[in-house]
Amino acid sequence: MYKPLVAVVGRPNVGKSTLFNAIVKKRISIVEDIPGVTRDRIYFDAEWLGQEFTMIDTGGIEFVDSDNHIFSSMRYQAELAIREADVILYVVDGKMGIQPQDQEIANLLRSCGKPVLLVVNKIDNVEQEMNMYEFYGLGLGDPIGVSAVNLMNLGDLLDEVLKYIKKVPLQEEDDDTIHIALVGRPNVGKSSLTNALLGQERVIVSNVPGTTRDSIDTHWNYEGSEFVLIDTAGMRRKAKIDLPVERYSVVRALRAVDRSDVAVLLIDGTEGVTEQDKKIAGYVHEAGKGCIIVVNKWDLVTKDSKTSQKYEEDIRRELAFLQYAPILFASALTKQRVNRLADMVKFVSEQQHMRVSTSVLNELIEDAQLTNPPPAKSGKLLKIYYMTQASVQPPTFILFVNEPQLMHFSYLRFLENKLRETFGFEGTPIRLILRGKRESEDV
């Protein structure tokens, strides 16, 4: 589901990151390790009064008369965020008053065509509220005074944000349309695969890593089925991100996964699975998306009768948490096996939406417990009362048990495997949620 994007912009040291952290209700450093994926923490999901949206922090905008690469790149990354955002929070310093650069940034924002909320930060008490009136001179409407440090007036600010978010038009598409995110490291052939699927040069292709800067949505009709292809910029390891603009390419790629139904993870067949491939795959898995692994550039791989088998074994070992993802060996350049991808995506989508009745699930649970009795801890036996499916995409099941802490992760994995053996669920993660006896009584 698409979440509206709220960008925080302004010159350096006005408190943008502090405001960002206050809104997302979490202290977030520039880089934070998340299980399965390492990514630049310049964005985070937030919620206010039941409305979800994505916050994005930007580097300070500097207007300098020099060829300084850092300054120009920081400005460019902020401009990209402005272009992508649905709502912009322009943060200024209430203690310092209007600075020359504030006016230049205001000029930039007035021409962007996006809703802009002027946020005067560092208004820490009632006496300082008089400082806000000066900022009417920026010509951006009524300033909103806040103290990001003391969390003052953030509710009023977020109420204003919601007024604009609710006006964001939702893309109306056929419910049967499947959104496909093409993800992977730079230069693995994502744009080439897009062009091969479409049968025409719709996306710029270059052997220079990082050519694709934006996520590009392309409607694709294949044999009567509707798809939306989201070609994304390649994700690089943080140490390889030389230009700040590429950080936004990573954000777009991650957001493309969030907007997708099925993620197609491209791996370079000439290089094999890398650490970055594992991190990207981890994000797809954590997001609960369907996944297909495409080993691209297969035409360049020296092969014998056992090459594909060995390659698949390597992938299953390196990406152990994606055992459920089907693998396609293909070449975007020669279009080898590319025509199989559409049917694979449709199949995975069907598997994501599969529902199983509670009665059938409970027959499976009884059979599983006879085959492999539940574990015991400190003499206490785990009891599984019943299982029911709560939702689809990904298929999510609730297990009602006597005491959740008695469940061992290996037994959960056993139950997941039984679900897959019985019903398939190919290409999609499965979520198993435990509910204790008291919780079940509450329900």
Side-chain angles (χ1 to χ4, degrees):
M1 182 183 71
Y2 175 77
K3 295 178 183 177
L5 181 66
V6 180
V8 183
V9 303
R11 58 183 176 80
N13 302 319
V14 294
K16 296 186 301 299
S17 295
T18 305
L19 179 64
F20 174 88
N21 290 342
I23 292 175
V24 302
K25 300 177 182 177
K26 189 172 183 180
R27 184 174 178 82
I28 299 172
S29 55
I30 298 301
V31 177
E32 172 180 327
D33 290 333
I34 299 294
V37 61
T38 301
R39 48 194 167 167
D40 289 347
R41 301 307 293 169
I42 51 178
Y43 85 107
F44 206 82
D45 287 341
E47 179 270 337
W48 182 248
L49 301 180
Q51 172 69 56
E52 294 185 345
F53 52 95
T54 299
M55 292 292 299
I56 185 164
D57 195 9
T58 68
I61 301 176
E62 296 258 31
F63 290 87
V64 290
D65 296 326
S66 73
D67 295 327
N68 188 299
H69 176 68
I70 299 298
F71 287 141
S72 60
S73 295
M74 288 177 66
R75 177 182 170 183
Y76 185 38
Q77 71 169 5
E79 289 174 344
L80 279 175
I82 291 168
R83 187 174 66 191
E84 187 183 8
D86 297 301
V87 182
I88 298 163
L89 302 185
Y90 175 30
V91 184
V92 292
D93 190 326
K95 288 184 177 178
M96 292 189 66
I98 294 180
Q99 302 297 303
Q101 287 191 342
D102 291 332
Q103 192 62 257
E104 294 187 68
I105 296 171
N107 294 339
L108 174 68
L109 293 175
R110 274 196 297 270
S111 62
C112 73
K114 301 291 180 71
V116 178
L117 293 176
L118 178 58
V119 183
V120 183
N121 192 25
K122 305 181 185 179
I123 303 298
D124 301 321
N125 52 57
V126 177
E127 289 75 20
Q128 293 178 353
E129 288 183 0
M130 294 296 294
N131 298 349
M132 291 195 302
Y133 295 106
E134 176 185 359
F135 291 94
Y136 276 99
L138 294 176
L140 290 172
D142 295 336
I144 302 172
V146 303
S147 172
V149 170
N150 299 323
L151 307 181
M152 290 177 58
N153 214 27
L154 291 187
D156 289 348
L157 172 61
L158 291 172
D159 286 344
E160 290 299 314
V161 170
L162 251 57
K163 290 179 183 178
Y164 290 104
I165 283 179
K166 293 182 182 298
K167 296 178 182 178
V168 175
L170 298 177
Q171 292 183 346
E172 294 186 5
E173 289 173 341
D174 193 319
D175 290 340
D176 295 330
T177 300
I178 303 174
H179 289 70
I180 308 169
L182 304 179
V183 297
R185 296 181 293 114
N187 210 26
V188 293
K190 297 182 296 300
S191 296
S192 296
L193 178 59
T194 299
N195 289 335
L197 291 170
L198 297 172
Q200 54 185 307
E201 295 291 319
R202 290 286 293 276
V203 182
I204 297 172
V205 177
S206 168
N207 60 4
V208 178
T211 301
T212 304
R213 294 294 191 196
D214 300 320
S215 294
I216 304 167
D217 288 9
T218 306
H219 287 262
W220 173 42
N221 183 290
Y222 181 80
E223 295 184 351
S225 296
E226 291 291 333
F227 303 90
V228 173
L229 290 172
I230 310 170
D231 182 35
T232 66
M235 301 183 187
R236 300 194 190 192
R237 287 186 297 110
K238 185 179 73 69
K240 294 289 187 180
I241 299 178
D242 301 321
L243 297 175
V245 62
E246 291 197 15
R247 295 178 182 174
Y248 285 91
S249 296
V250 175
V251 171
R252 287 189 176 88
L254 297 180
R255 291 189 73 207
V257 171
D258 291 338
R259 292 196 294 119
S260 72
D261 300 306
V262 178
V264 175
L265 171 63
L266 271 74
I267 293 174
D268 191 326
T270 64
E271 298 182 13
V273 178
T274 67
E275 284 301 311
Q276 186 65 354
D277 291 326
K278 295 178 185 178
K279 292 178 173 65
I280 299 169
Y283 186 82
V284 173
H285 175 72
E286 288 175 0
K289 303 300 181 178
C291 184
I292 297 169
I293 300 170
V294 173
V295 182
N296 193 28
K297 306 182 184 180
W298 195 239
D299 57 312
L300 302 179
V301 176
T302 303
K303 296 177 280 290
D304 58 33
S305 59
K306 296 183 178 179
T307 302
S308 59
Q309 178 184 341
K310 181 179 181 302
Y311 214 106
E312 182 166 349
E313 290 172 355
D314 289 342
I315 291 174
R316 296 303 184 197
R317 183 180 63 256
E318 296 294 332
L319 303 177
F321 53 89
L322 281 185
Q323 296 294 324
Y324 55 82
I327 299 173
L328 176 66
F329 296 92
S331 169
L333 183 65
T334 66
K335 298 186 180 180
Q336 178 187 15
R337 302 192 186 93
V338 167
N339 62 338
R340 298 184 187 179
L341 189 58
D343 289 333
M344 292 178 71
V345 168
K346 287 199 300 185
F347 176 69
V348 168
S349 180
E350 291 168 0
Q351 297 287 293
Q352 287 178 295
H353 290 86
M354 186 189 305
R355 282 194 177 273
V356 184
S357 69
T358 299
S359 60
V360 174
L361 287 173
N362 288 321
E363 288 178 12
L364 179 143
I365 285 295
E366 290 178 14
D367 180 64
Q369 292 182 91
L370 289 173
T371 306
N372 183 8
K377 186 176 182 181
S378 301
K380 200 161 190 178
L381 181 67
L382 171 71
K383 295 180 181 179
I384 303 176
Y385 300 119
Y386 68 97
M387 175 193 286
T388 186
Q389 186 170 359
S391 61
V392 297
Q393 203 178 13
T396 301
F397 302 89
I398 299 177
L399 281 164
F400 292 91
V401 301
N402 57 338
E403 295 186 32
Q405 62 269 26
L406 296 176
M407 177 69 77
H408 194 269
F409 74 88
S410 61
Y411 200 76
L412 269 181
R413 187 184 301 154
F414 163 71
L415 294 177
E416 179 182 332
N417 289 338
K418 290 293 289 184
L419 284 168
R420 293 191 185 281
E421 288 171 14
T422 308
F423 305 111
F425 292 117
E426 293 182 50
T428 178
I430 291 176
R431 300 283 188 256
L432 295 176
I433 300 172
L434 297 177
R435 289 269 180 87
K437 189 174 182 180
R438 289 182 179 177
E439 295 175 84
S440 64
E441 289 172 351
D442 293 339
V443 174

